[in-house]
Amino acid sequence: KIETDGDIRRIQLTKTGYVRKACRDACLYENGKHNTNARKGRKYHNLMKSMCLTVNEYLMAKRAFQGGFTHASAFHSGDVCFGVRSMDFTSSYPYVIVSEMFPFSTGEKINIRTMKSFRKYIQLYCCLFDVEFTHIVAKPNVPDHYISSSKCAGITINDTIDNGRVVMAEKIRTTVTEIDFQLIEQLYTFDDLRIGEFYIYRKNYLPHDFVGAVLDFYESKTTLKGIPEREDDYMRGKEHLNSCYGMMVTDIFREQNTVENGEWITTHEKTIEKTIEIYNNSSKRFLSYLWGVWVTAYARRNLWTGILALGDDYIYADTDSVKY
């Protein structure tokens, strides 16, 4: 790495660090060169300053964040299945990054008073909110179950859980995006819902410079695919492409783990309030934690179009693929 990077001080601590540096340079500097076109850096920094988080929003976003949907159909769980085929999305997360609209403002807290206004907001804005469902039941013709019980409060032993997914519950509370809510409404029936804390964000496509960096990684990956002598470069390009999503959801308030007298001690270097303040004001910030939360929400919605289309033939799903 000293030979390729030019200096031991330039070696990144993690593989994602190289992707983070390439994307940051594309967003903040001209042709990746520091100290050139400072106006570009100021413009991007001002954009980031317009997308700040409160501590409460960050905690809600952490509750709403889920990874890929990975589960077996309740209709086929435990079966040995023959004649199975598989289909997947090519670069599911990068596709979402370059094609969908994301939170593009500081959040505005809204008091929801009517279902009409609630419907209007989830149609026009990116929304992050707490919700409580009463007597929620999965629709009988749906081949899998979307809601993760680990993301819910209020689960009781009388509720029906399908290997970690909610089939039926008397009352649950969870935190969702508007994408999640629209899917839940499509897949479940419920007698009542109550909306708790509710934030809206103007939506827009991600910054041109960042999208350009993602597309550059994608081009490198696809042009090298299938060339035996470039297999290592292809895998490296694929990993870099996937890291474009991963660095979005790097936890802002990270734990520090140490061992003292044989015991694990978990601490934080700063308070959560100070950590969020530093995050909001950082001149090097070029991403929003919320973008990563919405990336996986959009990808789950896309995956479920396949699950629903396959119906009874659906067997299993994993993040970007379906077995049928």
Side-chain angles (χ1 to χ4, degrees):
K1 293 307 297 179
I2 292 174
E3 291 176 4
T4 57
D5 291 4
D7 190 312
I8 194 169
R9 295 170 299 174
R10 298 177 186 270
I11 298 176
Q12 300 296 316
L13 294 177
T14 66
K15 182 166 290 195
T16 302
Y18 287 96
V19 183
R20 187 183 299 274
K21 182 180 185 304
C23 291
R24 180 186 287 120
D25 287 354
C27 294
L28 300 180
Y29 309 108
E30 196 68 34
N31 299 320
K33 296 180 181 178
H34 294 213
N35 302 321
T36 62
N37 198 351
R39 184 168 172 238
K40 177 181 178 179
R42 283 197 304 271
K43 183 179 179 181
Y44 201 99
H45 179 55
N46 290 336
L47 174 66
M48 290 293 101
K49 287 281 287 183
S50 71
M51 288 182 270
C52 292
L53 286 175
T54 64
V55 170
N56 192 47
E57 285 173 273
Y58 161 70
L59 294 174
M60 288 179 66
K62 281 200 72 173
R63 295 199 300 270
F65 172 63
Q66 300 181 59
F69 182 86
T70 303
H71 207 250
S73 165
F75 300 160
H76 294 288
S77 182
D79 292 345
V80 177
C81 301
F82 298 90
V84 176
R85 302 187 69 181
S86 178
M87 189 170 290
D88 68 350
F89 283 103
T90 299
S91 301
S92 175
Y93 287 177
Y95 165 72
V96 165
I97 288 172
V98 303
S99 66
E100 299 289 355
M101 302 178 84
F102 292 83
F104 225 71
S105 67
T106 294
E108 179 182 353
K109 190 174 182 179
I110 301 292
N111 291 321
I112 299 296
R113 303 188 185 279
T114 66
M115 284 304 296
K116 183 178 180 180
S117 65
F118 170 70
R119 299 285 178 193
K120 180 190 75 172
Y121 285 125
I122 66 172
Q123 187 69 32
L124 298 177
Y125 295 90
C126 288
C127 303
L128 178 68
F129 55 99
D130 295 326
V131 60
E132 180 182 88
F133 297 99
T134 301
H135 193 61
I136 185 168
V137 181
K139 293 180 179 179
N141 62 329
V142 175
D144 210 331
H145 305 109
Y146 181 76
I147 300 174
S148 176
S149 58
S150 66
K151 288 291 184 176
C152 297
I155 294 286
T156 71
I157 59 173
N158 296 320
D159 299 327
T160 305
I161 307 299
D162 166 24
N163 193 21
R165 301 286 168 173
V166 175
V167 180
M168 179 173 62
E170 187 55 38
K171 186 173 288 188
I172 57 172
R173 297 180 300 280
T174 188
T175 306
V176 297
T177 68
E178 82 285 358
I179 306 298
D180 296 304
F181 179 83
Q182 289 161 356
L183 260 177
I184 290 170
E185 199 167 36
Q186 185 180 359
L187 304 173
Y188 292 82
T189 61
F190 42 87
D191 289 350
D192 191 25
L193 74 141
R194 295 178 58 191
I195 307 299
E197 292 205 63
F198 190 98
Y199 288 88
I200 64 171
Y201 306 86
R202 292 192 305 275
K203 59 170 69 174
N204 205 340
Y205 295 106
L206 294 184
H208 178 271
D209 292 312
F210 178 67
V211 169
V214 174
L215 291 174
D216 285 343
F217 286 132
Y218 181 75
E219 181 181 25
S220 297
K221 187 199 83 163
T222 52
T223 54
L224 298 176
K225 187 173 183 178
I227 303 175
E229 61 270 22
R230 301 297 297 277
E231 180 67 21
D232 289 345
D233 293 332
Y234 164 73
M235 290 305 300
R236 187 157 46 247
K238 186 176 181 179
E239 291 165 356
H240 285 179
L241 185 63
N242 292 334
S243 294
C244 292
Y245 150 74
M247 63 187 179
M248 288 180 176
V249 284
T250 299
D251 200 353
I252 302 170
F253 188 52
R254 293 188 288 278
E255 295 178 346
Q256 291 189 333
N257 296 291
T258 57
V259 177
E260 295 182 15
N261 300 321
E263 297 289 333
W264 279 104
I265 307 296
T266 300
T267 58
H268 292 89
E269 185 177 351
K270 299 179 178 65
T271 65
I272 189 169
E273 290 80 9
K274 185 62 176 177
T275 302
I276 297 298
E277 179 188 349
I278 292 171
Y279 168 84
N280 287 332
N281 294 321
S282 172
S283 60
K284 292 185 176 181
R285 182 165 70 92
F286 66 102
L287 297 170
S288 166
Y289 183 79
L290 294 181
W291 294 351
V293 176
W294 261 259
V295 164
T296 54
Y298 280 125
R300 289 192 302 274
R301 179 205 63 190
N302 292 346
L303 181 71
W304 267 84
T305 63
I307 293 173
L308 292 173
L310 290 166
D312 290 348
D313 288 329
Y314 160 74
I315 293 175
Y316 177 80
D318 184 356
T319 310
D320 62 355
S321 68
V322 287
K323 319 297 179 185
Y324 59 94

